[in-house]
Amino acid sequence: MTDESENIIVAKFGGTSLADAGQIRKVADIVAADARRRCIVVSAPGKRDKQDQKVTDLLLTCWHLAAQKLHYREPLSLIRGRYDAIARDLGVSTLDEPIAEMECELRKLADGDESTLATRDWMAARGEYFHARLIADFLRATFVPAGECVRFDEEGRLAPVSYALLAERLQGPGRYVIPGFYGRDAAGRIKTFSRGGSDITGAVVARAVGASLYENWTDVSGLLMADPRVVENPRSIAEVTYREVRELAYMGANVLHEEVIFPVREAGIPIQIKNTNAPGDPGTRIVNRRDATEGPVVGIAGRTGFTAIFIEKWRMNQEVGFGHRALGILLRHNIPFEHIPSAIDSMSIIVSEEHLAGRETAVLREMERILEPNRLETHASLALIATVGEGMNHRVGVAATVFGALGAAGVNVRMISQGASEIGILIGVAAGDYERAVRAIYAAFERAGT
Ligand code: ASP
């Protein structure tokens, strides 16, 4: 796909975009509307409504039941029912044969037959595999088995050879449908990315074919400036950089899988998040560099559930290896850290409560012994809030707006870290103040028209 590569759009459709025949028809219209949409990456059928179950979850339920030699008939018939209904409604062949094969492998698993193919990942990947076959049939496109082209290395990371294999396979005219979420490991077994990983497959395919654009079709019209559960009706983000989106994703804005950026960022391929149910909405574009007119702040993201370990030691700045020893203690307890704001004689290590749970006493005891601090305290129930915007640290008044808003709202700021990345201001507040703080910051920037 060399000469024509400027003309290729890789379009990835998520589970809700493909949850039933009606949704798949919308997808077919979207694909047909632009001849450049040549590589279509699909998820397994997702939820049709709030009460519904994702096919991937049903597959995993089957696997767990079979592995424990329990009956898996019920979830299996739900899976079969989902694909049957879609195939019949769309007028394409049903998937009787591959589903029967899967049932056979499940039976082997339940019987303790070690020759079964049905590992947990193999089962989870069936959802995308079946759906890609069905959709390829409906779109009259070529089905590309991901197991042949997407490879993982010994450490379980994407193997770079995948790019060449995909490029080779996706050569020439026509349209291709590629199942997302899985590939094959170094030993030849089917292996999946983490949940939501079809987004990653889409990014890998985009890079492999040198696409001009990677479209990620989902059920929302792009990223929002703040969590809509906290801020009423937040504005959507028109344009955001890869770096900014990393900061926002890291704090829990889960429209995109957090690993999705890496394959496309290096190749400079923009990502466009679009809504299958409102294809006319502009959505959010993720680019290398954004237009300054968007304003200094693109989003406000945050989360509760952190603890700060505060360590004070006189002349800490002169003690060679102090930070190394402090972090070494966390390493021994297998605890990652989020941030380390520090001062001349003190540092705070912010860790998530989830990682610290059950290990706090041991960690503190070790810190007392090894670091011999003058003061050692933990502050639990902390929320972190990131106000994100590339280059904002150079702008006069951004920090003043954040702190002015928090002061006016009566929120006590417990920690400040204007990150080295110059991409945002991170503050820590008491968990109880979290929502009030996010609303205050959002409102302040909204007023300032950014
Ligand atoms: N079907 C998989 C999941 O539910 C992967 C995906 O949809 O991206 O996690």
Side-chain angles (χ1 to χ4, degrees):
M1 283 197 173
T2 41
D3 295 337
E4 295 158 339
S5 59
E6 291 114 68
N7 297 322
I8 297 173
I9 293 177
V10 172
K12 180 259 163 179
F13 293 89
T16 43
S17 298
L18 299 165
D20 59 25
Q23 289 296 88
I24 296 170
R25 284 202 181 85
K26 289 186 196 167
V27 166
D29 288 344
I30 290 167
V31 170
D34 193 329
R36 295 172 302 168
R37 294 189 178 118
R38 302 242 318 274
C39 299
I40 314 301
V41 177
V42 300
S43 279
K47 292 185 182 189
R48 290 161 292 187
D49 53 57
K50 275 215 176 84
Q51 275 65 262
D52 202 12
Q53 298 205 59
K54 291 181 177 189
V55 164
T56 309
D57 290 329
L58 290 169
L59 288 160
L60 286 169
T61 304
C62 280
W63 184 83
H64 282 293
L65 291 170
Q68 293 173 71
K69 304 187 189 308
L70 297 170
H71 287 303
Y72 48 84
R73 225 173 299 131
E74 218 170 293
L76 183 65
S77 78
L78 288 174
I79 295 164
R80 190 177 268 126
R82 292 286 299 266
Y83 287 109
D84 263 2
I86 295 173
R88 284 179 209 290
D89 193 331
L90 296 179
V92 297
S93 332
T94 53
L95 296 163
D96 300 340
E97 214 178 289
I99 294 181
E101 273 167 30
M102 177 177 82
E103 190 172 3
C104 177
E105 296 302 327
L106 270 177
R107 201 169 311 125
K108 284 193 209 160
L109 173 68
D111 290 347
D113 177 345
E114 284 183 7
S115 75
T116 181
L117 291 174
T119 60
R120 186 182 180 280
D121 280 17
W122 185 87
M123 272 304 282
R126 292 303 85 192
E128 272 70 11
Y129 170 76
F130 296 150
H131 219 27
R133 282 183 56 164
L134 192 156
I135 291 164
D137 192 357
F138 183 59
L139 297 179
R140 294 184 210 287
T142 308
F143 166 76
V144 177
E148 288 178 21
C149 320
V150 178
R151 296 286 171 82
F152 294 91
D153 65 15
E154 243 113 62
E155 267 93 63
R157 288 177 309 224
L158 181 86
V161 67
S162 310
Y163 295 116
L165 293 170
L166 281 165
E168 166 89 37
R169 189 73 191 225
L170 300 170
Q171 235 166 40
R175 197 166 266 146
Y176 298 94
V177 176
I178 307 118
F181 191 40
Y182 72 92
R184 221 174 262 283
D185 69 11
R189 288 171 306 225
I190 292 293
K191 175 177 165 52
T192 63
F193 290 105
S194 57
R195 293 299 304 267
S198 298
D199 282 349
I200 308 175
T201 307
V204 171
V205 171
R207 166 142 170 207
V209 302
S212 56
L213 180 65
Y214 171 31
E215 288 180 339
N216 198 289
W217 291 84
T218 174
D219 57 354
V220 291
S221 293
L223 300 174
L224 299 172
M225 266 189 81
D227 186 341
R229 288 166 302 187
V230 177
V231 170
E232 204 183 314
N233 218 355
R235 272 201 281 163
S236 55
I237 305 175
E239 201 169 52
V240 57
T241 68
Y242 301 119
R243 294 170 76 211
E244 287 168 337
V245 99
R246 275 290 295 154
E247 297 282 321
L248 294 168
Y250 154 71
M251 300 298 281
N254 53 12
V255 174
L256 274 183
H257 191 288
E258 63 174 45
E259 295 288 315
V260 74
I261 300 300
F262 301 108
V264 283
R265 176 188 196 162
E266 239 173 49
I269 301 167
I271 305 175
Q272 185 83 36
I273 302 173
K274 295 277 284 175
N275 188 348
T276 302
N277 303 318
D281 285 359
T284 300
R285 197 173 182 84
I286 308 171
V287 290
N288 242 329
R289 212 190 290 240
R290 77 182 160 88
D291 193 351
T293 55
E294 266 278 314
V297 171
V298 283
I300 298 141
R303 170 152 83 73
T304 56
F306 296 99
T307 293
I309 305 174
F310 175 80
I311 313 164
E312 186 175 42
K313 174 121 194 233
W314 302 333
R315 293 195 204 85
M316 183 187 89
N317 65 324
Q318 292 169 28
E319 192 174 322
V320 175
F322 188 85
H324 179 78
R325 282 191 287 282
L327 294 180
I329 296 166
L330 293 189
L331 172 68
R332 278 194 289 288
H333 290 273
N334 204 21
I335 302 171
F337 71 88
E338 303 286 327
H339 294 278
I340 318 183
S342 66
I344 191 157
D345 281 342
S346 65
M347 67 196 285
S348 278
I349 309 179
I350 317 274
V351 296
S352 81
E353 274 162 10
E354 179 196 335
H355 288 117
L356 192 62
R359 302 177 198 154
E360 186 169 337
T361 317
V363 167
L364 293 181
R365 209 172 288 147
E366 224 169 290
M367 285 188 167
E368 282 288 0
R369 186 168 53 77
I370 296 172
L371 304 174
E372 299 178 335
N374 294 94
R375 216 168 113 205
L376 179 66
E377 288 165 5
T378 55
H379 303 277
S381 302
L382 200 66
L384 293 181
I385 302 171
T387 304
V388 179
E390 194 124 22
M392 64 186 256
N393 294 4
H394 298 303
R395 297 253 197 141
V396 178
V398 173
T401 306
V402 171
F403 296 111
L406 293 172
V411 174
N412 182 17
V413 178
R414 309 260 292 262
M415 181 215 92
I416 304 170
S417 157
Q418 186 150 11
S421 67
E422 301 199 331
I423 204 167
I425 298 172
L426 186 84
I427 56 154
V429 301
D433 285 340
Y434 169 65
E435 298 203 350
R436 199 149 45 97
V438 171
R439 280 188 215 113
I441 299 171
Y442 178 82
F445 285 104
E446 175 87 310
R447 262 198 310 278
T450 65

